[in-house]
């Protein structure tokens, strides 16, 4: 058998588990503990929730022609399909949705790869043929059928995407499926969301439908042609019903469908030699209906975001139609572009009539886009019908309105200054101006015909005494300028001259098109709007009037007091700045940028450096115009900051003007990013996959309509334009910003510190963009801003603004390369503690946290002077200044003390590559942090722990030489020994170690909720998020302890911190015996303390000492460490037992990267633990000893066990077996756990021993060492008999009320002993299954299955609880051969158990067992299991019978089709025979159990297909209903089954009832009608 087929069953076997699907009503979540350090999650993508992608990919590539993989795949899908149904959602829905998507995507990728490499004769895996594709798609269609109407939107959309992809592969299967479901959705009234999903599916499959109808007609398959054409016609007509302003999802889906269908068509309505639905007459009626519906939607729209004040002018009314991804505008452009001229004229007249007759402020943007789509298709005609009336309306509205005269006059009109527009007129003007602004976006040269009118309207809008109308005028001016000067594609949506496919379908193109293939698309490049001279001269006129003259007005307002009243001046300034802003936003980068300065004094012209080619449009104006604007705006800004510093609207307008002036290209970038976000949600309806089996050839990549390819080209062009000069000067040190640019930068800097947050926010964003483009400006900014932090008189808003700019990525990145900026930044933050405002302190802390997160090291240039010679003095000086701030003795606030220490740590780690600097700083810094260990501030202590863990490298192998002479002989130790000397001096200070241990004990906050391997300290409960960000150090990711999973609950919840232990270990390794001696002295008090926190620290210190491998003078047999360990073990107190268990685990953990080298003291620790304890000790001490033994043995690498360690294992097993029926429950649990660890270690050691296989696959083979077999026999021999005797004794106790007292006592003692032994066995089994060690203990576990099943329900509650826990874990265990055969015979033997509860539990286990092993059970084994369950249908206990029916109902789905069919036929025949016999003779002789069994068999068949209506179901459910007259419990079974059948088929009953005859329906109705109480 090929390897692919061998691996298929096991891979499918493991597929269901990670998808979180439950079996029956069980829990789908994994019951085994997966404990990982908290910070580890940051190392993985947040999207990595399930391995669905890997599972789907492996399945798709395992499929081979004629292989069994298809069979296994179908079984898997049969099981999973029920979880795709809308009524069966849960935590598994997300993973199943991903699974479905990846299955289809990888199937498509595989087909594409096979088609591209069709010339290669041999494929691995072999190519899929037509037959295999059909099988795969039929299976996937089951999932699509279930999931298409899911209430989960992502699953419903994934189904539509999958349908679309597969419809190109096998349209004869998929398209009828789409058609049927669309028809069903139309007819189903109970779930309205179904129509939306059905419409989306048709939209996504639109091209496949059209291509199929065309190619089927060529192959004379008229039936298919009619059905597909009918579907398109039906969907287009019925979808219009879905257009409703109150139902956005359905409306958007409808528009997507229309866009999809018309994207596929060439010219629509041009001739009548086309299908009926494309003929002019039909389309004319359809268009009338479409526009009626559309206008109705527009009239009922309500804007969700009203237009804001001034500087935040909104251009869109904010309804769902104008948002990205709504398809509204795109659909209109496609539809109007594809219509023939007569149909377009018809549509245009209707649109013009609607637009001119209605004022819809709630749909301003939508009406504008409608006009824009008309103008884009036929500018000349549309301008006559749309522009002219709107222009006339606006001009007539402006007549007679008051004009303050802020535009075009030197002296404003004093008489009309107080006048205002009426609300109705203001609304109408605002509406028409904005509609016109949007409509002219792509009008082109046609606007020259309305030059005078447009000039007049724009001037009037700016002169109007209404800020709302001024804003609309701003929109119109920028739209007009943009249209006049920009490059944009024209005729994008119109049909091009390429020959359509079959005269109706437009060819689509591929961006990866091969030169030899699909040349036709390459021959039809887009046409672009290239501004004519007239358009440019019009644009220059507009600039002259609204930009140049507005600048002159601005200067005159600021330099000469034109207005006596402040209000007038403010209005005049607002309008003037708005005109300047509109002009700049309109021409964008078509107005040349300001000229930079060069080092040699040149500043004449912008250097034509070629960096990235790109242009937004034709050039208008000149660099001088931009420079003049910069000069005047700078003057205006100074004036405003002096005279009008509290006017936020004016200041925000100035900021936006400066932003448009200095950030050349950023407006294009904003436009690109908005457009790009819309493309990210690209609809599947405009994608034709590379593998298209409908047409004769495949493409190189995805195909899209021509308009989409042009859109992408335009998008890319916009991006190139935004980048063309943005990076030009970053790479050229010769160039610097001009003086004007620097002035404006200073203005932005001042504005970014303004007291109004809105102004600060705008200015901060503009300044950050400017600094990114001109890095040379950053240094001065940083010095100014950090100066503000240090300034004690700086107001709150200045500090907030400074922090905002400094926290930007641009500035933080600059700090890594500029030492002066870095030094200023660090000292600025550390010197800012005098700010008392809470907001300031929060901002400074957040800035520091951001610096921590973004910190990416320092430049090597920091260690050199200007002549590139080595100069470390500056850096060392900075470090010493920071070091001085890090001591508690200074008066700094504790948070700043913490920051200083953190910066110190970051800088020393970043300078590791400079060995000279690092070695000078290491000893001093390590000493500094060691001193901080005894700090009174908890945060400083925690940071010191992180720092020492990183700085103290110690030696993982041996002690450093203690003798100074040795250090001289070994120069590599010099730096370490000097560090060691400094550390030793600190450690030997009087009381240092005692104070340190005391301080560290305060970090341990004891609570019940602390889990076992937490990455943060208990002290984190009193830390805020920002403080944690400073103290938690990213080197915690490298923590490699514990090496093995933590699953032993007896020692869980400890507060042992391995980082503390590592510090003690490394201190001992670095400084040697003096540390050991001072620790011994200090620990005397701690070891005898009753406080748990002090015991925690003692455990950590002991762990470090034991693991340090410094032997020194500890060789004596009765050494101090072992004596202490012995004492700890014998202390009756159990509160600190988890910490001491963790200490022992740490002490015996293996060394080196792989953890295989044993620590020096491991043998002694094991010897200490193995030595027997006195008989008189408390049970808690004995339990503690066994727990210590378990955790110690867990860390031993079984394959590398030494002979001595093996001997310890044998000795421990002997002791454990002797104590299995101990009187204490706690000790029995500890023994069970210890036996699991010990026995699995022995098994593993044996399997890796001499002569064993090198590579083990699957479950480890059960190789026992000679002489060690007895323990497995001791465990399992007689376990079944023991279970029976426990059951019998419990039953006999219940039956017998009196008996001989002496006999009873002796019996009770034996029974109690049996129950205790069984409890220990269950503990062993639970531990084996929970820990994952069951792989090597399977033979034992299988022999213990019967006790688990039989002792679920007994009067001994503790025993039953353990049996249930073992059962829950056992259900998840997959058994491979050769254990499978043994397990089946062992499990099925329980079918004859006299206790009915055991038989019921057996059924529960068989349900999960059969599902878990579906792919590896043979046919005969499945049949045997089936017969066993079927046998229980006629059990004498009613609960067992009903349970068996439920199990069979679930197994009939996906286990074995033949077995299911055979059972269905037999159960139907048997039930019929009973009915016939009862008709002949009412006393037919059948027992209640027999009749009930037959009814339950029918029930299982009926309930096995919820939601479906196979051909056999009506007869079965009707026959079942005929048993309604039988007595209970048969009657209640029938009633429940029929009610459940009706519930699950309620949604589609109107269609499915057609499968029943009238008689059958009558029988069902009789069953449902409840009988009268008085009957």
């Amino acid at each position: 058998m090929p390897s692919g087929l061998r691996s298929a069953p096991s891979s499918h076997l493991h597929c269901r588990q990670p998808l979180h699907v439950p079996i029956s009503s069980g829990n789908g979540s994994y019951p085994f503990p997966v404990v990982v350090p908290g910070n580890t999650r940051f190392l993985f993508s947040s999207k990595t929730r399930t391995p669905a992608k890997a599972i789907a990919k492996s399945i798709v590539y395992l499929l081979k022609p004629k292989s069994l993989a298809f069979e296994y795949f179908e079984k898997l899908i049969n099981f999973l399909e029920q979880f795709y149904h809308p009524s069966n959602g849960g935590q598994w829905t997300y993973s199943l949705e991903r699974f479905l998507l990846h299955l289809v995507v990888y199937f498509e990728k595989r087909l594409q790869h096979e088609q591209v490499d069709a010339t290669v004769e041999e494929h691995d895996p072999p190519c899929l043929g037509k037959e295999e594709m059909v099988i795969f798609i039929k299976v996937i269609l089951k999932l699509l059928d279930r999931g298409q109407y899911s209430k989960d939107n992502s699953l419903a959309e994934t189904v539509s995407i999958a349908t679309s992809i597969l419809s190109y592969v096998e349209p004869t299967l998929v398209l009828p499926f789409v058609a049927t479901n669309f028809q069903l959705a139309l007819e189903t009234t109970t779930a309205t969301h179904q129509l939306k999903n059905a419409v989306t599916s048709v939209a996504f499959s639109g091209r496949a439908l059209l291509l199929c109808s065309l190619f089927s007609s060529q192959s004379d398959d008229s039936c298919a042609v009619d059905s597909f054409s009918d579907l398109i016609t039906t969907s287009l007509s019925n979808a219009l019903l879905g257009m409703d302003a109150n139902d956005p999802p359905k409306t958007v889906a409808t528009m997507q469908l229309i866009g999809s269908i018309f994207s596929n068509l060439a010219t629509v309505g041009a001739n009548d030699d086309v299908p009926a639905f494309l003929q002019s007459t039909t389309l004319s009626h359809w268009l009338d209906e479409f526009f009626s519906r559309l206008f109705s939607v527009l009239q009922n729209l309500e804007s969700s975001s009203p237009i804001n004040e001034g500087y935040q002018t909104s251009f869109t009314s904010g309804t769902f139609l104008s948002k990205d991804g709504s398809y509204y505008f795109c659909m209109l452009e496609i539809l109007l572009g594809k219509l023939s001229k007569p149909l377009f004229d018809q549509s245009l007249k209707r649109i013009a009539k609607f637009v001119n007759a209605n004022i819809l402020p709630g749909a301003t943007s939508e009406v504008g886009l409608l006009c824009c789509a008309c103008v884009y298709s036929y500018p000349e005609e549309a301008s006559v019908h749309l522009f002219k009336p709107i222009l006339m309306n606006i001009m007539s509205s402006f007549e007679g309105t008051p004009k303050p005269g802020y535009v075009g006059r030197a002296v404003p009109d004093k008489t009309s200054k107080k006048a205002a527009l009426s609300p109705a007129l203001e609304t109408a003007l605002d509406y028409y101006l904005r509609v016109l602004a949007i409509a002219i976006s792509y009008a082109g040269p046609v606007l020259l015909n309305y030059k005078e009118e447009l000039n007049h309207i724009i001037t009037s809008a700016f002169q109007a005494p209404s800020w709302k109308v001024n804003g609309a005028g701003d929109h119109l001016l920028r739209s007009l300028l943009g249209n006049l000067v920009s490059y944009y594609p024209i005729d994008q949506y119109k049909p091009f001259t390429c020959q359509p496919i079959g005269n109706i379908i437009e060819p689509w193109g591929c961006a990866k098109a091969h030169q030899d293939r699909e040349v036709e698309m390459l021959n039809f490049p887009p046409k672009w709007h290239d501004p004519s001279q007239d358009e440019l001269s019009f644009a220059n006129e507009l600039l002259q009037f609204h930009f140049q003259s507005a600048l002159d007005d601005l200067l005159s307002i600021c330099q000469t007091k034109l207005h006596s009243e402040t209000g007038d001046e403010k209005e005049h300034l607002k309008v003037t700045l708005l005109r300047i802003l509109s002009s700049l936003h309109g021409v964008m980068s078509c107005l040349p940028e300001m000229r930079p300065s060069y080092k040699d004094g040149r500043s004449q012209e912008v250097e034509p450096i070629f960096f990235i080619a790109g242009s937004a449009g034709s050039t208008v104006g000149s660099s001088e115009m931009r420079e003049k604007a910069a000069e005047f705006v700078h003057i205006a800004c100074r004036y405003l900051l002096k005279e009008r510093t509290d006017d936020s609207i004016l200041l925000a307008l100035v900021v936006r003007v400066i932003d448009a002036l200095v950030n050349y290209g950023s407006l294009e970038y904003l436009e690109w990013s908005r457009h790009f976000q819309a493309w990210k949600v690209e609809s599947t309806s405009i994608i034709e996959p590379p593998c298209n089996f409908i047409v004769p050839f495949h493409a190189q990549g995805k195909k899209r309509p021509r308009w989409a390819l042009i859109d992408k080209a335009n998008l890319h062009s916009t991006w190139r334009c935004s980048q063309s000069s943005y990076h030009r000067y970053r790479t050229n040190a010769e160039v610097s910003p001009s003086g004007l640019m620097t002035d404006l930068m200073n203005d932005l800097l001042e504005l970014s510190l303004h007291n109004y947050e809105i102004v600060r926010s705008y200015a901060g964003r503009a300044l950050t963009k400017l600094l990114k483009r001109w890095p040379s400006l950053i240094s001065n900014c940083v010095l100014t801003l950090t100066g503000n932090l240090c300034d004690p008189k700086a107001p709150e808003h200045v500090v907030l603004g400074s922090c905002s700019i400094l926290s930007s990525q641009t500035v933080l990145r600059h700090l890594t390369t500029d030492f002066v900026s870095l030094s200023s930044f660090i000292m600025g933050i550390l010197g800012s503690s005098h700010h008392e405002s809470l907001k300031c302190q929060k901002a400074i802390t957040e800035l520091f946290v951001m610096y921590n997160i973004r910190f990416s090291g320092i430049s090597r240039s920091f260690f050199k002077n200007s002549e590139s010679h080595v100069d470390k003095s500056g850096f060392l000086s900075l470090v010493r200044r920071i070091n001085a701030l890090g001591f508690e003795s200074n008066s700094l606030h504790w948070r700043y003390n913490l920051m200083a220490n953190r910066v110190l740590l970051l800088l020393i780690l970043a300078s590791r590559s400079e060995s000279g600097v690092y070695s000078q700083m290491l000893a001093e810094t390590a000493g500094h942090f060691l001193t901080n260990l005894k700090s009174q501030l908890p945060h400083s202590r925690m940071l010191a722990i992180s720092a020492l863990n990183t700085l103290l490298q110690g030696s993982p192998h041996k002690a450093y030489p203690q003798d100074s002479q040795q250090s001289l002989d070994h120069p590599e130790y010099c730096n370490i020994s000097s560090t060691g000397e400094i550390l030793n001096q600190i450690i030997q200070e009087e009381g240092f170690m005692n104070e340190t241990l005391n301080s560290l004990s305060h970090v341990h906050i004891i609570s019940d909720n602390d889990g076992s391997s937490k990455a943060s300290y208990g002290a984190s409960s009193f830390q805020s998020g920002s403080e944690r960000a400073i103290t938690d150090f990213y080197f915690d990711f490298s923590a490699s302890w514990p090496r093995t999973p933590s699953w032993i609950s007896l020692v869980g919840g400890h507060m042992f911190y391995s980082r503390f232990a590592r510090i003690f270990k490394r201190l001992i390794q670095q400084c040697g015996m003096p540390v050991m001696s001072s620790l011994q002295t200090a620990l005397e008090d701690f070891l005898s303390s009753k406080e748990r926190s002090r015991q925690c620290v003692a455990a950590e210190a002991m762990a470090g000492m034991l693991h340090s491998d410094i032997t020194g003078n500890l060789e004596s047999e009765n050494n101090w460490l072992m004596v202490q360990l012995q004492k700890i073990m014998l202390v009756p107190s159990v509160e600190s037992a988890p910490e001491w268990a963790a200490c022992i685990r740490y002490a015996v953990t293996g060394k080196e990267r792989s953890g295989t080298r044993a620590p020096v003291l491991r043998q002694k620790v094991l010897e200490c633990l193995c030595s027997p304890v006195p008989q008189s000790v408390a049970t808690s001490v004995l339990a503690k000893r066994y727990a210590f033994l378990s955790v110690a043995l867990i860390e031993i690498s079984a394959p590398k066990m030494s002979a001595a360690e093996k001997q310890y294992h044998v000795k421990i097993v002997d002791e454990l077996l002797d104590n299995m029926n101990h009187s204490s429950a706690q000790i029995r649990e500890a023994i069970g756990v210890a036996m699991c660890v010990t026995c699995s270690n022995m098994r593993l050691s044996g399997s890796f021993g001499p002569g064993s296989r090198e590579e083990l696959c699957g479950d480890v083979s059960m190789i026992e060492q000679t002489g060690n077999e007895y323990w497995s026999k001791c465990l399992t021999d007689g376990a079944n008999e023991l279970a029976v005797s426990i059951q019998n004794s419990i039953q006999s106790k219940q039956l017998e009320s009196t008996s001989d007292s002496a006999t009873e006592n002796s019996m009770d003692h034996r029974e109690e002993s049996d129950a205790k032994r069984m409890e220990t066995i269950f503990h062993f089994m639970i531990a084996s299954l929970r820990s994952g060690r069951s792989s090597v203990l399977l033979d034992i576990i299988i022999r213990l299955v019967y006790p688990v099943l039989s002792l679920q329900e007994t009067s001994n509650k503790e025993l039953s609880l353990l049996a249930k826990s073992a059962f829950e874990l056992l259900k998840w265990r997959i058994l491979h051969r050769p254990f499978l055969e043994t397990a089946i015979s062992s499990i099925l033997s329980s079918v004859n158990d006299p206790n009915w509860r055991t038989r019921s539990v057996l059924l529960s286990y068989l349900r999960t067992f059969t599902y878990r092993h579906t792919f590896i059970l043979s046919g005969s084994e499945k049949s045997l299991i089936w017969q066993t369950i079927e046998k229980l249908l006629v059990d004498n206990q009613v609960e067992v019978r009903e349970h068996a029916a439920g199990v069979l109902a679930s197994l009939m789905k996906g286990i074995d089709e033949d077995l299911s069919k055979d059972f269905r036929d037999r159960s139907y025949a048997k039930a019929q025979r009973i009915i016939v016999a009862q008709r002949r003779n009412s006393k037919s002789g059948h027992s209640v159990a027999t009749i009930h069994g037959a009814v339950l068999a029918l029930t299982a068949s009926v309930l096995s297909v919820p939601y479906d209506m196979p051909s056999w179901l009506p007869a079965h459910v009707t026959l079942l209903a005929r048993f309604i007259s039988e007595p209970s419990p048969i009657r209640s079974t029938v009633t429940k089954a029929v009610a459940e059948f009706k519930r699950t088929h309620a949604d589609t009953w109107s269609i499915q009832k057609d499968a029943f005859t009238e008689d059958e329906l009558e029988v069902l109705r009789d069953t449902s009608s409840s009988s009268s109480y008085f009957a």
Side-chain angles (χ1 to χ4, degrees), residues 33 159 188 192 216 218 374 1035 1108 1231 1250 1370 1502:
V159 168
T188 306
T192 54
S216 299
Q218 291 174 1
C374 290
F1035 282 91
S1108 65
I1231 288 172
L1370 185 63
V1502 169

Side-chain angles (χ1 to χ4, degrees), residues 23-37:
I23 292 174
S24 182
S25 57
N27 188 359
S29 57
Y30 212 52
F32 304 104
V34 185
V35 181
V36 291

Side-chain angles (χ1 to χ4, degrees), residues 406 417-418 563-574 644 647 650:
Y406 293 140
K417 61 184 178 183
K418 300 294 179 191
H563 299 273
S564 54
E565 290 189 23
T566 347
D568 292 345
E569 184 181 87
K570 176 181 176 179
E571 291 304 317
H572 198 168
L573 278 169
K574 271 167 65 178
R644 291 187 165 276
D647 196 323
L650 284 176

Side-chain angles (χ1 to χ4, degrees), residues 95 308 347 436 441 476 483 666 774 955 1024 1105 1478 1480 1541:
S95 52
N308 296 308
S347 305
L436 183 61
S441 300
L476 180 57
N483 170 69
S666 67
W774 293 102
S955 167
S1024 69
M1105 293 164 84
Q1478 284 183 333
R1480 288 177 185 164
F1541 165 80

Side-chain angles (χ1 to χ4, degrees), residues 1541-1557:
F1541 165 80
K1542 290 194 169 178
R1543 185 188 69 79
T1544 55
H1545 291 79
D1547 275 356
T1548 49
W1549 182 245
S1550 57
I1551 297 158
Q1552 290 180 339
K1553 69 179 180 183
D1554 296 342
F1556 289 80
T1557 65

Side-chain angles (χ1 to χ4, degrees), residues 423-464:
L425 181 59
E426 185 181 53
T427 302
L429 279 170
D430 177 62
Y431 169 75
Y432 277 126
L433 283 167
R434 290 187 188 277
V435 167
L436 183 61
I438 297 168
I440 66 172
S441 300
Y442 303 108
V446 77
L447 290 179
L448 296 171
N449 302 331
Y450 306 98
K451 185 174 170 182
E452 297 303 324
E453 291 90 337
L454 287 165
N455 261 328
H456 174 66
I457 284 170
I458 292 169
T459 307
S460 302
F462 282 123
Q463 284 188 331

Side-chain angles (χ1 to χ4, degrees), residues 578-617:
L578 190 60
R579 289 165 65 206
I580 296 167
L581 181 64
S582 308
S583 305
L584 286 169
H585 277 200
V587 294
M588 297 199 286
S589 61
C590 295
L591 180 68
E593 63 178 317
M594 287 188 269
R595 292 165 294 186
S597 300
Y598 294 88
K599 280 197 174 176
D600 56 8
R602 288 177 297 131
S603 65
Q604 292 78 27
E605 288 300 327
V606 176
E607 285 279 319
I609 304 168
F610 183 84
F611 197 79
I612 294 177
S615 177

Side-chain angles (χ1 to χ4, degrees), residues 128-264:
L128 297 177
K130 177 84 170 173
E131 187 186 342
E132 286 77 36
M133 286 190 237
V134 167
I135 295 171
F136 180 87
I137 290 171
K138 278 183 176 174
V139 172
I140 293 292
L141 280 175
K142 293 179 184 177
L143 299 186
L144 301 184
D145 188 39
R146 288 279 179 259
Q148 61 184 328
Y149 299 132
S150 173
K151 292 162 189 167
D152 183 273
N153 287 334
S154 56
L155 177 54
E157 186 167 0
T158 295
V159 168
S160 298
I161 293 169
T163 307
S164 170
I165 293 171
L166 296 178
S167 65
Y168 290 95
V169 180
E170 195 51 56
T172 52
L173 284 175
V174 182
L175 295 180
F177 165 81
V178 173
T180 308
N181 291 327
F182 185 78
Q183 199 58 41
L184 186 65
L186 286 178
E187 294 174 16
T188 306
T189 54
T190 53
T192 54
H193 71 281
Q194 289 188 5
L195 185 60
K196 179 240 174 188
N197 295 343
V199 166
T200 307
S201 283
V202 177
F204 285 8
S205 308
R207 188 165 183 81
L209 281 163
L210 284 163
L211 286 171
C212 240
S213 63
L214 184 66
F215 282 92
S216 299
S217 67
Q218 291 174 1
S219 62
D220 299 328
D221 188 354
S222 58
C223 180
V225 177
D226 292 343
S227 64
F228 298 150
S229 299
D230 289 349
L231 174 59
I232 294 167
T233 313
T234 312
S235 61
L236 277 174
S237 56
N238 282 285
L240 295 181
L241 302 172
M243 289 175 66
D244 181 356
N246 297 316
D247 192 349
K250 208 182 290 179
T251 307
V252 170
T254 301
M255 291 178 174
Q256 189 176 16
L257 171 69
I258 296 167
S260 165
I261 300 295
F262 281 89
S263 277
N264 286 288

